[in-house]
């Protein structure tokens, strides 16, 4: 290969590498496993699923994210978002305001690894509006705040921002993680959260969850 072409290829590779670093995405970075609370087992999830109230999904009338006060202070200067980022990342360094300034995060939904915190969203596994349509419309503001900031159940997880935005408020009949290896965990988490918070499910949602859990 001519020398000029070798140099051109090297420059192209370096440019691509630099671009990936700038965007925060490292395709070959080692996977750091998110430390979301472990959901109940598939066996327990199937039992919980059978116990959930099945009914048509309610209306979104009156819903607002503001009715679910979220990213509240958890400790010192750390709010819920920063707490989850630190929990789910590897070698996370925070500044005096608890903002994550470095670290790496593995998005369980799509298998991407990120090194810039702004590339991550904190997903509510059971979306706030989904909860509203499943019974949270009757809750107090205090209950909705506890749900939106629940660090005890497998309800909050750091994932790729555009993946979270694509998921939106869809339930498992409408959306599942593209990374199929995580679908069992996701279904277990979904049922765990809905069972604990006494939220209802619709028939399509139940069928989709049964299908995933039966394969766990």
């Amino acid at each position: 290969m001519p020398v000029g072409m070798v140099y051109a290829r090297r420059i192209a590779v370096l440019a691509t590498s630099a671009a990936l670093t700038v965007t925060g995405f490292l395709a070959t970075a080692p996977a750091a496993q998110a430390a979301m609370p472990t959901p109940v087992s598939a066996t327990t999830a199937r039992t919980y699923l059978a116990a959930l109230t099945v009914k048509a999904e309610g209306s979104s009338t009156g819903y607002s994210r503001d009715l679910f006060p979220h990213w509240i202070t958890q400790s010192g200067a750390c709010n819920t978002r920063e707490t989850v980022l630190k929990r789910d990342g590897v070698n996370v360094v925070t500044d005096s305001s608890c903002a994550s300034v470095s670290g790496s995060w593995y998005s369980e939904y799509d298998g991407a690894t990120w090194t810039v915190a702004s590339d991550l969203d904190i997903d509510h596994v059971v979306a706030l509006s989904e909860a509203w349509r499943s019974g949270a419309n009757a809750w107090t503001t205090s209950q909705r705040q506890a749900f939106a900031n629940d660090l005890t159940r497998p309800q909050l997880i750091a994932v790729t921002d555009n993946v979270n935005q694509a998921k939106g408020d869809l339930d498992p009949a409408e959306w599942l993680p593209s990374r199929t290896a995580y679908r069992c965990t996701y279904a277990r988490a979904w049922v765990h959260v809905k069972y604990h918070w006494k939220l209802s499910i619709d028939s399509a949602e139940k069928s989709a969850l049964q299908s995933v859990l039966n394969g766990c």
Side-chain angles (χ1 to χ4, degrees), residues 23-155:
T23 60
F25 176 63
L26 298 177
T28 58
Q33 298 303 308
M36 179 179 75
T38 303
V40 294
S41 68
T43 299
T44 300
R46 286 191 286 267
T47 299
Y48 283 4
L49 182 60
L52 291 175
T53 298
V54 180
K55 59 190 293 189
E57 198 168 76
S59 169
S60 293
T61 300
Y63 168 73
S64 167
R65 285 180 67 85
D66 293 340
L67 295 173
F68 292 78
H70 53 290
W71 306 168
I72 61 173
T73 299
Q74 292 290 342
S75 176
C78 303
N79 65 19
T80 307
R81 172 182 164 81
E82 297 298 352
T83 299
V84 175
L85 282 172
K86 189 169 184 179
R87 181 198 72 186
D88 287 4
V90 171
N91 299 323
V92 177
V93 175
T94 57
D95 62 18
S96 59
S97 64
C98 202
S100 298
V101 295
S102 66
S104 66
W105 293 267
Y106 179 74
S107 172
E108 294 281 9
Y109 289 178
D110 59 329
T113 297
W114 302 93
T115 58
V116 177
S118 60
D119 287 321
L120 285 299
D121 276 356
I122 307 305
D123 180 41
H124 289 95
V125 171
V126 176
L128 304 182
S129 54
E130 164 69 23
W132 177 269
R133 298 190 299 269
S134 304
N137 60 318
W139 292 353
T140 64
T141 299
S142 177
Q143 287 174 305
R144 289 193 285 263
Q145 175 175 296
F147 176 81
N149 298 275
D150 189 357
L151 294 170
T152 304
R153 262 65 52 181
Q155 163 68 340

